[in-house]
Amino acid sequence: MKILLVEDEPKVAAFLHQGLSEQQHQVDLAADGLLGLRLAQQGGYDLLILDTLLPGLSGLDVCRQVRAQNTGVPILMLTALGETDDKIRGLDAGADDYLVKPFAFQELLARIRALTRRRHDAPPAGGALQLADLTLDPSSKMVHRAGQPIQLTAREFALLEYLLRNQNRVVSRVDILEQVWDTSFDTGSNVIDVYINFLRKKLDKDFTPKLIHTLVGMGYVMKEE
Ligand code: CA
């Protein structure tokens, strides 16, 4: 895979660069946000790894600007220890996952596998999934509501696909964590609620009927009200 690593701490950057290269990945390194953004905009990457605090332009701003161009490249944010606000801001900016420093290299590899696996999977059998006027096509990765195209990040797409495959069934947060996120994911976080809100904003806010429903204490269900 071709990976763009944007990290300004020389020791961390060198360690990650070496480790990822040993895993047969091709790694481009940028030590500041402006160079990182320029490289990211040139495209051709299978994954972006962005540190949050960077000189020039923050990792969050790089992430936002990449997403503003509607590229679906998986983005993994590296955040400072225990900075929950950073995690949420990162997800808000369109990142697919985050990793808290310091982390074990194996943990990074596991996240990379989880983020990139879906892209290389063969499309599941069967055609588009549909609920009311919402459609999701697993092979073209296109989502439409009322005929309008909806741009989703890789993680939002995976969550929506899972919910649609289980439409009219209640799915718990544990179900979602196991099926859409790796089970190693920090289950103490409210990341699922954050992502459900992202989907609501994009899919339900400007449309009727509402399709994503919360069942307090049980989970979520997608259905026509
Ligand atoms: Ca930094």
Side-chain angles (χ1 to χ4, degrees):
M1 284 200 309
K2 196 172 170 200
I3 297 174
L4 174 62
L5 171 64
V6 188
E7 169 61 78
D8 60 314
E9 289 167 58
K11 276 186 188 166
V12 179
F15 167 72
L16 294 179
H17 187 278
Q18 185 188 344
L20 292 170
S21 300
E22 284 169 1
Q23 297 290 319
Q24 315 303 325
H25 297 304
Q26 183 192 334
V27 184
D28 287 347
L29 179 63
D32 71 80
L34 290 170
L35 176 61
L37 178 62
R38 206 159 68 230
L39 289 172
Q41 285 174 333
Q42 287 170 10
Y45 292 102
D46 300 300
L47 174 72
L48 308 185
I49 301 176
L50 305 176
D51 187 28
T52 306
L53 293 176
L54 294 165
L57 192 66
S58 80
L60 293 174
D61 287 329
V62 174
C63 185
R64 256 181 229 112
Q65 296 202 30
V66 169
R67 283 294 180 247
Q69 297 182 319
N70 289 327
T71 53
V73 60
I75 298 179
L76 176 67
M77 298 288 309
L78 306 180
T79 71
L81 179 66
E83 292 285 336
T84 309
D85 286 353
D86 273 357
K87 295 176 195 170
I88 301 306
R89 280 201 293 269
L91 298 173
D92 251 327
D96 295 293
D97 203 353
Y98 59 82
L99 201 51
V100 178
K101 290 184 190 176
F103 51 82
F105 189 68
Q106 288 304 322
E107 179 67 14
L108 174 68
L109 291 181
R111 297 298 174 89
I112 291 175
R113 277 196 299 273
L115 277 178
T116 53
R117 185 189 304 141
R118 285 171 201 97
R119 310 195 111 203
H120 300 296
D121 278 353
L129 303 169
Q130 186 163 10
L131 176 63
D133 56 359
L134 172 71
T135 57
L136 176 149
D137 186 340
S139 39
S140 69
K141 304 285 180 201
M142 297 287 285
V143 174
H144 288 85
R145 177 117 203 225
Q148 298 178 34
I150 310 272
Q151 300 292 341
L152 299 181
T153 66
R155 186 74 86 181
E156 291 166 353
F157 186 92
L159 174 58
L160 179 63
E161 182 175 358
Y162 178 69
L163 291 172
L164 277 176
R165 287 192 186 283
N166 291 282
Q167 57 186 263
N168 299 312
R169 265 190 50 202
V170 179
V171 292
S172 69
R173 284 179 176 73
V174 173
D175 293 333
I176 294 173
L177 275 173
E178 283 177 1
Q179 299 298 322
V180 183
W181 275 266
D182 267 3
T183 47
S184 64
F185 201 85
D186 172 19
T187 52
S189 75
N190 62 346
V191 67
I192 293 176
D193 307 80
V194 171
Y195 268 84
I196 291 284
N197 281 332
F198 290 163
L199 286 182
R200 280 206 168 105
K201 266 188 227 164
K202 292 183 176 180
L203 301 173
D204 265 356
K205 188 166 153 278
D206 300 326
F207 301 94
T208 47
K210 304 303 175 202
L211 300 177
I212 304 173
H213 307 277
T214 304
L215 284 88
V216 176
M218 294 172 70
Y220 302 97
V221 59
M222 279 199 85
K223 62 178 181 182
E224 276 190 82
E225 194 59 310

